[in-house]
Amino acid sequence: MDGVMGIMLLVDILGLGIVIFIVWWFWFYKSRAAIQKSDAAPVEITVADNVYHPARLALPSGQPIVLRFIRRDPASCAAQVQFASLAISAELPLDQPVDIRLPSLAPGEYSFNCQMNMYHGTLVIT
Amino acid sequence: MTVIDHHDATAPIRLSIGGMSCAGCVANVEKALRAVPGVTAAAVNFAEHTALVQGSVAAAQLEQAVIDAGYQATELAGADAEAEKEAAELGHYHLLLRRALVAGAVGVPLFVGSLLGMLPVLSISSGRMFWAVIGVLTLVVMVYSGRQFFTGAYKSFFAHNANMDTLIAMGTGAAWLYSMVVVINPALVPSLAQHAYFEAAVIIIALINFGSALEMRARSHTSEAIKRLIGLQPKLARVVRNGEEVDVAIDDIGLDETVRVRPGERIAVDGVVLDGQANVDESMLTGEPIPVEKHAGSDVVGGTINITGTFLYQVSRIGKQTLLAQIVEMIRQAQSSKPAIGRMADRVSSVFVPVVMIVAVLTLLLWLHLWSDVSYGIVTMMTVLIIACPCALGLATPMSIMVGVGKAAEYGVLIRNGEALEQSGRLTTVVLDKTGTVTKGKPVVSQVFNFGEWTEQQVLRFAAAVEVGSEHPLAAAILMAYQRSFEGLHAGESVSGTDLPALQSFESTSGYGIHAHIEGHTVVLGNQRLMELHKIDCSAVEDLVPELADQACTPLLLAIDQGLAGIIAITDPIKEDSIAAIQRMYALGLKVVMITGDHRVTANAVAAQVGIKDVFAEVLPQHKVDCVTRLQQAGDVVAMVGDGINDAPALAGSDVGFAIGGGTDIAIHSADVTLMRDSLHGVVDALLISRATLTNIRQNLFGAFIYNAVGIPLAAGLFYPLLGVLLNPMFAGAAMAMSSLTVVTNANRLRLFKVPAYK
């Protein structure tokens, strides 16, 4: 009986660990920006396999930004990108580059996502 | 200012690429293309074996670069974006169906076999061997039919994202892994928990692929409005070049070129009629069913149909500048915007998947504790993961907006964004600008009174002579009346200036009128105060002047040589359908207010004619916004309807600004809602469509929330102790696949919405 109790305790600890891991991994983890640029050249973002790549970009404030989206993902969810806080959205035709020109933004984080809020990305203005 | 640039500034070059055998080749070809100087972007579509290249570069250079890289390349001319998009969608649709079919072909016989007890049991070694083979077979099927879920889940995971794919991959992956553990080493789990769930994994994958395929089909209908508008533009136009009429592709037509349009033909691009007369059906853009007469000087719009008559017109706008292209762009933008009503769903869907994952883990733990049953624990965990549907939540608002905005366009109503649509559905008060909104905005002479020896035509002649150089709207009305006083004069013809006597002197007093000398006569034209100023006896018309004002007319008095010669009554006629439209507004329970800079007497007269009870009169243009604010402060949700030019501040200050009789760039770009048709019915149509769309969104959101709120606890086995009911994971898969489809189908129902008929 003690053995079973021990296993159950182990399973509970494991389960709790997984829950903590989920919370940390999906909500609290702050990844380093994959792209850091200082020039005004377009930043290419690929939409493939359910993700924006890179999903986190760091760009300097005080200059216009060009984000070039290329959608490789045929799923209809990927067909649109939205920057809710900037009231910007764009259709992303498959395999066709689409440039989104943003004005110079104040420092802060600007998230972008697909129409159904399943693909997430963050633009960090430093 | 944000610019969404689809690289149309310089046309992209499309190449057909040969010799690509794997995804690695895609990278090679793209690298080769990007290395060509001048190329700004290059993207290869492996499925179609094509490449799309952007930049200032010749196609031949690109072809050579691809050939040098070891592949073949040929330029593809005439890229049709919409057709390409459709082809790509159809290809993906077929792929999803194939995946569903393959998974179903393996899953269904297994399901039926186990249901009928025809399959070997796991307790004997031959049975385990059988299930091991099935395990490998289902793995192959999962790789073929469900690969996208696993790669998607994997990539999302490392991007710290989780989505529907994560749930499906975890659910089916857990089912397969657990089954394989049971097959390989049954001793690891209690004997009662020794079940294999291979068939569940593949059937779930089959169902979700099938659901996605159906959803994709249903989705394509939601953008029909755009397709219909794009389809309006003909491919060719008959252009006059070097004295000959030649058929020219629409993209090759230049500005200022002359185009011939024959009866039954569609007008290719926007322009101004040079010669000829015709009746043009503009209903596809404005919703106005009656054809519009066009003659020299009239504007014509690309996409409309010439019903009768032949004419030549000069091209004024091409490409993205045409009204049709601007309308399409505006609808696209509006369709992709989200109103506040969807924000709650957005907030939920952004945290939804990790929450469901946590619920799944807790479900497993709970089952282990309460019933000590690994198998049921695994099944319920898997069912929770599978049944949860973040997509239904995410789709609820945008799908309805897509259809609603498109539906409005059918009625000649362009809605700027989801916010405008939402507010339109909540309006309580409509403020109508008088001039050009309730009335036609083009004053006409309604009556001419002549006194003494002067005839009606002489009265008009002197008045016209005084007004001939003026740009005042009343001047235009007098000149038009003078022209019409000549028999046999047709619309469009004009009386030349030489027909009118020349002015010998001219003095204008602002707010009063004009004092002039013509053919030796002293002429005074203006209001009663001007007559008093010049000591002209008006006692004979003391009653007539206020009477005219009561009829919403502006009386202009004309005196010649100090004697009253006539009165010209000018009125701004009410639009034919204003009364009916205002009645519809009242019938919907709206408060209707008219606002105008006109004198209170005139304003009240117009309001009475159209049946409006509340009037703000003598309001200066810059103060109209204050009236709107006052209404808002009283708790009303206010729409301001105006021409979009003079009343821009009031349009901007209102909750929803309607620009009526749109089609001007200013209106399209400034108003929340542009009414293509010059009729107040558009306001009511917009409101009804918005209300229907909001109802549809609410239904979708309610359905999606309820589905998840009931589905997840049911899947977790919450009702098991009470009812003994436990959900089969395959039913969960079917429910999940159907939930998104239901949302899209419900949004499609909006396509059938019709504004109730009115007189």
Side-chain angles (χ1 to χ4, degrees):
Chain A
M1 197 61 196
D2 280 354
V4 174
M5 288 288 281
I7 290 171
M8 284 307 290
L9 191 67
L10 206 67
V11 169
D12 284 350
I13 291 168
L14 192 69
L16 208 64
I18 292 173
V19 169
I20 292 166
F21 174 76
I22 291 169
V23 172
W24 172 75
W25 185 257
F26 292 108
W27 291 324
F28 291 101
Y29 181 89
K30 291 272 176 223
S31 60
R32 280 216 343 255
I35 287 231
Q36 303 211 0
K37 280 174 78 85
S38 54
D39 58 30
V43 182
E44 209 167 277
I45 301 170
T46 313
V47 190
D49 299 321
N50 282 348
V51 286
Y52 295 116
H53 184 78
R56 199 173 167 87
L57 331 153
L59 300 168
S61 64
Q63 66 176 48
I65 296 159
V66 183
L67 300 179
R68 177 166 295 162
F69 282 85
I70 301 179
R71 174 187 158 209
R72 306 277 189 209
D73 196 329
S76 41
C77 315
Q80 204 176 80
V81 62
Q82 300 181 335
F83 291 74
S85 59
L86 302 172
I88 292 168
S89 60
E91 287 277 334
L92 303 178
L94 200 61
D95 295 317
Q96 218 169 299
V98 173
D99 283 0
I100 298 183
R101 292 175 206 281
L102 305 175
S104 60
L105 298 167
E109 291 201 355
Y110 300 84
S111 62
F112 52 96
N113 50 263
C114 72
Q115 201 181 23
M116 288 188 284
N117 219 348
M118 290 291 113
Y119 297 43
H120 297 276
T122 310
L123 175 63
V124 185
I125 302 295
T126 51
Chain B
M1 183 68 196
T2 309
V3 180
I4 311 295
D5 180 4
H6 291 262
H7 286 273
D8 288 40
T10 55
I13 298 169
R14 261 182 98 230
L15 301 168
S16 167
I17 309 287
M20 290 194 299
S21 57
C22 64
C25 302
V26 172
N28 292 342
V29 173
E30 284 181 350
K31 198 173 152 196
L33 288 170
R34 283 178 190 155
V36 177
V39 170
T40 53
V44 172
N45 181 337
F46 182 57
E48 288 183 358
H49 285 237
T50 57
L52 197 74
V53 185
Q54 184 63 46
S56 329
V57 63
Q61 268 179 287
L62 299 173
E63 287 174 8
Q64 195 52 51
V66 176
I67 292 163
D68 291 346
Y71 305 90
Q72 299 98 47
T74 343
E75 190 193 1
L76 289 171
D80 185 341
E82 206 57 31
E84 265 178 44
K85 190 180 157 209
E86 272 184 27
E89 278 181 0
L90 192 68
H92 191 57
Y93 169 75
H94 285 138
L95 177 68
L96 288 171
L97 279 186
R98 266 200 310 279
R99 285 173 174 166
L101 206 68
V102 169
V106 173
V108 172
L110 281 175
F111 174 63
V112 174
S114 72
L115 209 65
L116 300 176
M118 290 161 61
L119 303 179
V121 289
L122 277 163
S123 49
I124 52 171
S125 62
S126 62
R128 283 213 300 280
M129 187 57 95
F130 168 83
W131 283 108
V133 172
I134 292 298
V136 174
L137 179 65
T138 50
L139 181 66
V140 173
V141 171
M142 283 165 78
V143 168
Y144 173 74
S145 298
R147 186 178 54 234
Q148 74 276 24
F149 304 128
F150 291 92
T151 49
Y154 174 79
K155 295 268 172 108
S156 303
F157 180 78
F158 286 104
H160 298 268
N161 267 337
N163 52 37
M164 194 190 80
D165 287 358
T166 316
L167 297 176
I168 298 164
M170 283 181 68
T172 55
W176 188 88
L177 265 178
Y178 175 78
S179 307
M180 217 50 192
V181 167
V182 172
V183 169
I184 293 167
N185 193 353
L188 280 176
V189 294
S191 58
L192 281 173
Q194 289 175 6
H195 297 291
Y197 295 100
F198 294 122
E199 82 282 9
V202 282
I203 285 182
I204 287 163
I205 284 175
L207 286 168
I208 291 164
N209 274 310
F210 185 60
S212 300
L214 294 183
E215 183 194 317
M216 203 167 174
R217 260 293 148 97
R219 263 175 176 241
S220 70
H221 296 305
T222 59
S223 55
E224 256 174 15
I226 291 271
K227 285 183 209 154
R228 183 184 68 85
L229 285 170
I230 290 171
L232 291 178
Q233 196 170 44
K235 298 261 183 284
L236 296 171
R238 185 154 275 260
V239 180
V240 182
R241 282 181 181 168
N242 304 320
E244 276 183 48
E245 289 180 11
V246 284
D247 284 335
V248 174
I250 203 123
D251 293 338
D252 298 332
I253 299 173
L255 277 174
D256 298 329
E257 285 205 279
T258 305
V259 180
R260 159 89 60 201
V261 187
R262 290 168 298 192
E265 284 181 349
R266 261 184 206 285
I267 295 164
V269 286
D270 299 355
V272 181
V273 176
L274 293 171
D275 188 28
Q277 258 188 312
N279 284 306
V280 174
D281 177 3
E282 296 186 339
S283 62
M284 57 293 292
L285 295 184
T286 63
E288 170 61 57
I290 302 163
V292 184
E293 194 187 309
K294 302 284 179 184
H295 45 74
S298 303
D299 288 327
V300 287
V301 179
T304 56
I305 302 174
N306 177 24
I307 307 284
T308 54
T310 301
F311 64 93
L312 283 170
Y313 76 95
Q314 188 174 33
V315 175
S316 62
R317 290 193 290 196
I318 52 172
K320 285 202 143 187
Q321 301 308 312
T322 64
L323 184 61
L324 183 64
Q326 289 189 53
I327 290 173
V328 167
E329 190 49 40
M330 184 176 164
I331 296 173
R332 275 207 177 117
Q333 285 296 316
Q335 284 183 331
S336 56
S337 65
K338 267 188 193 171
I341 193 173
R343 281 188 204 135
M344 171 70 179
D346 267 2
R347 273 198 288 275
V348 173
S349 65
S350 63
V351 296
F352 186 84
V353 178
V355 168
V356 170
M357 287 159 74
I358 292 169
V359 171
V361 173
L362 296 180
T363 301
L364 175 64
L365 293 182
L366 212 67
W367 273 88
L368 289 178
H369 275 280
L370 294 180
W371 289 281
S372 308
D373 192 321
V374 189
S375 175
Y376 274 14
I378 291 284
V379 169
T380 46
M381 181 187 81
M382 185 167 92
T383 317
V384 166
L385 291 170
I386 296 298
I387 203 164
C389 186
C391 286
L393 277 174
L395 280 171
T397 314
M399 285 297 110
S400 306
I401 293 283
M402 284 274 278
V403 184
V405 168
K407 178 54 81 180
E410 268 179 43
Y411 283 88
V413 177
L414 301 185
I415 297 176
R416 166 157 298 281
N417 52 32
E419 207 72 51
L421 186 136
E422 187 173 18
Q423 290 289 53
S424 300
R426 291 184 174 149
L427 290 175
T428 59
T429 301
V430 180
V431 178
L432 305 172
D433 184 41
K434 193 210 86 176
T435 309
T437 303
V438 176
T439 64
K440 288 183 175 169
K442 285 179 185 146
V444 292
V445 171
S446 60
Q447 293 173 82
V448 180
F449 301 89
N450 53 313
F451 306 110
E453 79 252 41
W454 305 104
T455 65
E456 200 177 295
Q457 199 175 47
Q458 278 173 319
V459 169
L460 282 171
R461 181 169 175 267
F462 276 102
V466 172
E467 295 279 16
V468 73
S470 168
E471 289 190 356
H472 195 279
L474 297 187
I478 292 170
L479 286 166
M480 180 63 77
Y482 179 57
Q483 285 170 19
R484 293 247 165 101
S485 72
F486 288 87
E487 282 184 358
L489 201 68
H490 297 292
E493 292 181 66
S494 65
V495 177
S496 69
T498 52
D499 293 326
L500 292 168
L503 295 173
Q504 288 155 340
S505 75
F506 179 88
E507 188 193 334
S508 169
T509 314
S510 180
Y512 289 88
I514 295 157
H515 179 266
H517 283 94
I518 304 166
E519 291 178 337
H521 297 288
T522 308
V523 178
V524 181
L525 177 70
N527 57 20
Q528 210 169 354
R529 278 179 292 174
L530 183 69
M531 298 298 137
E532 284 161 13
L533 215 66
H534 286 275
K535 299 193 169 46
I536 293 159
D537 180 19
C538 295
S539 55
V541 294
E542 237 168 37
D543 296 336
L544 181 61
V545 171
E547 205 176 291
L548 288 170
D550 283 345
Q551 292 166 17
C553 293
T554 307
L556 273 185
L557 286 74
L558 178 81
I560 303 173
D561 298 331
Q562 287 299 105
L564 188 66
I567 296 181
I568 300 168
I570 296 176
T571 186
D572 182 4
I574 289 161
K575 287 179 191 167
E576 287 80 7
D577 54 8
S578 285
I579 296 173
I582 290 163
Q583 278 172 354
R584 287 176 73 204
M585 289 177 196
Y586 277 119
L588 288 171
L590 294 167
K591 181 179 173 185
V592 185
V593 180
M594 193 181 81
I595 196 165
T596 177
D598 285 5
H599 190 272
R600 179 157 294 282
V601 177
T602 315
N604 285 340
V606 174
Q609 283 176 26
V610 293
I612 293 178
K613 297 173 195 109
D614 300 287
V615 181
F616 287 139
E618 297 170 32
V619 182
L620 293 171
Q622 61 270 32
H623 292 154
K624 285 181 182 173
V625 65
D626 301 335
C627 297
V628 169
T629 312
R630 273 214 303 279
L631 288 165
Q632 286 170 325
Q633 283 165 350
D636 288 331
V637 184
V638 182
M640 171 74 205
V641 189
D643 59 15
I645 300 162
N646 299 322
D647 31 32
L651 288 188
S654 63
D655 295 295
V656 189
F658 284 75
I660 196 163
T664 63
D665 294 358
I666 302 167
I668 288 186
H669 289 115
S670 65
D672 296 317
V673 180
T674 306
L675 306 176
M676 300 300 293
R677 185 158 51 127
D678 199 11
S679 159
L680 285 176
H681 281 303
V683 177
V684 188
D685 295 347
L687 192 138
L688 290 172
I689 294 165
S690 303
R691 283 184 181 177
T693 310
L694 282 182
T695 306
N696 196 272
I697 292 173
R698 285 194 198 102
Q699 289 164 350
N700 277 346
L701 286 174
F702 178 79
F705 273 112
I706 284 292
Y707 166 83
N708 284 300
V710 173
I712 295 172
L714 180 69
L718 212 68
F719 302 118
Y720 183 69
L722 294 171
L723 309 167
V725 184
L726 206 56
L727 194 66
N728 185 316
M730 281 178 280
F731 289 132
M736 204 231 90
M738 290 305 121
S739 62
S740 316
L741 184 65
T742 311
V743 165
V744 181
T745 308
N746 187 46
N748 265 318
R749 255 181 358 102
L750 255 187
R751 290 195 301 133
L752 307 174
F753 175 81
K754 277 195 171 67
V755 168
Y758 53 84
K759 283 182 187 170

